[in-house]
Amino acid sequence: MVSARSGDVDFIQRVIHSKLSGFVHSTFKRTLNIQCLEDGELYTIACNEIDNGPNTLIVDLASFEDMNINAYDEVHSDNNIISIGNKMSITIDRANSWESILPTYPANTDVLKKNIKIMKQYIEIHGKSGGIKSKSVNESPFEQEMSKMIQERKGLLTDELVKKQLHHAVPHAVSLLGLGPGLTPSGDDFLVGLFTSFHLKNSPFVNYQWFFEEIERAAKTATNEISYIAIKKASVGKIRESIIALVNGLLEENEEHLILSLKKVLNIGSSSGTDIALGILTGLETNIKIGGTL
């Protein structure tokens, strides 16, 4: 029996109060995704080095490599235990509940502006290129064209957001869906970061839920299922723990904390962390330029 250390409060409540049944959607060294038949969403079982996140349960294992778990293995829950075929059983009895809660956008943005400069400089040196951050050298013709498309579409989206033309911004955001390299394409990761900044309490964008919903609806058919669930959750302000820690770091006058939290986000995936971080920066800078309310 494997013990769950912590998990998304909604995931834990689903297992406690209702049934979860489905099958293994995909497996990786440190995560496996479950397709839930009740609500159609993906749920993630993650090893102990992964941070908490929406629809995610963290278990006391370092790797799934020796578990022989395969796609389409049957999954069901009963009596606070999730069973994956006859290969693994997970008890949630001692799991700590975790909830995604974003901080408040500040009335005084002096510290935020200072930290944005620090974060930009750090990403310029240490961020991973190939997605939203262009490669400076050794770029193939395909990569050059992809980079050009990403930059153009990101620029068009940002221009409309700064002009407060949200209806005009939607098609440009949709044009980024599924665009770029990676299991979670760079355009999707950028939008997750952007949504994060816009969902801070008191952000000028936080009450424009229709904007997020339109992009989320388009994402369902425009990208893969793993990336879609991240966008779906971000569209209602549900973000993984390490990203929330980075946003908190940007709002505090503590450079050491900021860099530490930024390093953790930059280590997500290949270029995913950098793409998310640049989405956060774009969102925060847009918040600052607009100021007040829309």
Side-chain angles (χ1 to χ4, degrees):
M1 181 75 70
V2 176
S3 294
R5 289 185 171 187
S6 61
D8 175 31
V9 61
D10 294 334
F11 191 164
I12 289 177
Q13 290 303 310
R14 167 173 283 279
V15 174
I16 292 174
H17 297 296
S18 62
K19 299 291 184 183
L20 183 151
S21 60
F23 57 89
V24 175
H25 173 275
S26 47
T27 65
F28 302 92
K29 181 179 178 182
R30 297 189 299 166
T31 59
L32 59 91
N33 296 307
I34 296 167
Q35 181 80 60
C36 175
L37 296 179
E38 282 78 20
D39 64 7
E41 292 196 352
L42 289 186
Y43 288 78
T44 299
I45 308 294
C47 290
N48 50 24
E49 290 186 2
I50 305 292
D51 56 316
N52 286 298
N55 282 17
T56 299
L57 192 69
I58 308 297
V59 298
D60 196 13
L61 285 176
S63 168
F64 293 120
E65 280 186 313
D66 298 327
M67 306 299 289
N68 194 32
I69 295 171
N70 300 304
Y72 300 109
D73 282 349
E74 186 179 351
V75 179
H76 71 274
S77 68
D78 195 23
N79 291 326
N80 296 354
I81 294 174
I82 301 170
S83 298
I84 302 176
N86 58 358
K87 301 173 180 175
M88 183 167 69
S89 296
I90 304 166
T91 174
I92 63 165
D93 282 342
R94 286 179 286 179
N96 295 314
S97 291
W98 172 85
E99 187 174 5
S100 172
I101 300 176
L102 283 164
T104 299
Y105 183 70
N108 184 323
T109 57
D110 290 348
V111 171
L112 176 60
K113 289 175 181 174
K114 176 184 168 188
N115 285 335
I116 284 175
K117 287 182 182 176
I118 294 170
M119 183 166 156
K120 276 185 169 180
Q121 291 167 352
Y122 193 90
I123 291 176
E124 184 61 32
I125 298 169
H126 301 285
K128 295 172 186 171
S129 57
I132 299 297
K133 182 184 177 188
S134 303
K135 283 184 177 178
S136 55
V137 293
N138 299 326
E139 206 172 35
S140 69
F142 176 79
E143 288 172 328
Q144 287 176 4
E145 186 60 29
M146 180 63 70
S147 176
K148 181 182 173 186
M149 289 172 65
I150 290 175
Q151 294 306 322
E152 285 179 352
R153 295 178 186 189
K154 171 177 165 283
L156 290 168
L157 169 61
T158 306
D159 289 346
E160 296 297 345
L161 290 172
V162 171
K163 288 189 289 187
K164 308 179 185 179
Q165 297 292 334
L166 267 63
H167 285 285
H168 295 167
V170 168
H172 298 308
V174 170
S175 75
L176 284 167
L177 292 168
L179 189 64
L183 177 64
T184 54
S186 296
D188 298 357
D189 290 328
F190 175 82
L191 290 172
V192 167
L194 190 79
F195 287 3
T196 300
S197 295
F198 287 175
H199 271 290
L200 299 189
K201 295 165 189 153
N202 294 340
S203 159
F205 293 91
V206 72
N207 294 322
Y208 289 78
Q209 189 55 36
W210 65 264
F211 171 75
F212 306 106
E213 289 173 354
E214 286 203 26
I215 299 166
E216 181 266 326
R217 278 195 293 272
K220 191 161 189 176
T221 55
T223 190
N224 65 68
E225 291 173 300
I226 294 174
S227 198
Y228 166 67
I229 194 67
I231 289 177
K232 180 178 181 179
K233 294 301 175 183
S235 73
V236 291
K238 293 189 175 181
I239 311 295
R240 62 190 285 183
E241 188 175 25
S242 57
I243 299 173
I244 294 174
L246 173 57
V247 176
N248 279 316
L250 280 160
L251 302 177
E252 299 169 358
E253 200 156 14
N254 185 330
E255 185 172 338
E256 185 179 355
H257 180 202
L258 171 61
I259 296 301
L260 184 63
S261 57
L262 177 55
K263 283 180 178 177
K264 290 181 180 176
V265 170
L266 295 184
N267 281 330
I268 297 173
S270 177
S271 66
S272 285
T274 299
D275 298 331
I276 292 168
L278 290 171
I280 291 171
L281 282 178
T282 298
L284 290 174
E285 288 182 318
T286 304
N287 281 343
I288 291 170
K289 286 176 183 174
I290 288 178
T293 57
L294 286 175

